[in-house]
Amino acid sequence: MAALLFGLWITSPALAQGSSRSAAELMDAVMWNREPIGGAFTLKDQTGKTRTDADFRGHLMLVYFGFTYCPDICPTDLQQIGLAMEQLGDDAKSVQPLFVTLDPERDTVEHLAQYVPLFHPRLLGLTGSIKDVSQAADAYRVYYKRVSTGSKPDDYTVDHSAFIYLIDRDGKYLGFFPPGTDAAKMVGMIQPHLHGKTEQ
C-alpha cells in the first residue's frame, strides 16, 4: 500500500531538505485522520501575486503538493485534476485547484507560469521561500525529501506523498484522494459539497 500511495522511494540523506517526520508517520496521520490537516499559508502564484488560504474562501479547494520535474506521479494526478474540472462544467467555477511545489528552488514563478497551464486554466501553481513551502507542507502533513541523484547541484529529485486534499468553502479539511484517483471519482466526491452553501 505504501508503494501505491507514495510511489517508489529512494533512501534519503539525513540532512536532505524536507519533512522532519517519517513517511509512515505522516501517511498514518492522513489516512486515519489522526491529526488536523490544512491551515494557513502564504505563497506566490505563477503571476507573482501573493496568495493566502483566505483568498479562496467561498470555494472548494483541491490542494496537491508535488514538483514540476516529477517524472510521472505529479503530471498524472494533475491531469486527472484538470479532467475533473472539465467534467464539473459550470460548477468548476466553485472549485479552485492548487498545485503547491515542494521544490521552490527550481519551481520559480516563471517556471510555474509555463507548467500549470498545461493541465487546466484554473489551476494555480504556488511557490515561495523554502520556509513558506515547508510551513504549508507541514500543515497538510505532506511527506517530502530532497534526494541527490548526481554530483551537480541540480541533480536531485524529491520523494513525496501525493494525496489530493479536498477543502471546504470555509477552509476546513473534508478528506483526501489517493494518488491515481481518476477524474470521475473526484467529481463524484466533489459534487455533494458544491451546492450546500452560497458562494461568497
Side-chain angles (χ1 to χ4, degrees), residues 5-6 30 37 61-66 73-82 84-85 95-100 123 140-142 160-167 173-183 185-187 189-190:
L5 293 172
F6 292 105
V30 175
I37 295 173
M61 291 194 297
L62 287 171
V63 185
Y64 186 77
F65 289 80
I73 295 173
C74 296
T76 299
D77 286 337
L78 288 172
Q79 182 181 42
Q80 292 305 310
I81 290 171
M85 294 294 288
V95 180
Q96 180 57 65
L98 302 175
F99 171 64
V100 184
L123 179 64
Y140 281 82
R141 307 299 186 254
V142 175
H160 65 94
S161 54
F163 297 112
I164 303 166
Y165 302 91
L166 180 61
I167 308 298
Y173 172 70
L174 290 171
F176 72 89
F177 302 104
T181 301
D182 64 39
K185 188 169 288 187
M186 285 188 217
V187 169
M189 295 293 290
I190 291 167

Side-chain angles (χ1 to χ4, degrees), residues 41-45 49-53 55-56 124 126:
F41 59 78
T42 301
L43 298 164
K44 288 188 176 181
D45 69 18
K49 181 178 179 179
T50 298
R51 297 284 194 160
T52 72
D53 57 299
D55 292 342
F56 308 111
L124 286 180
L126 298 176

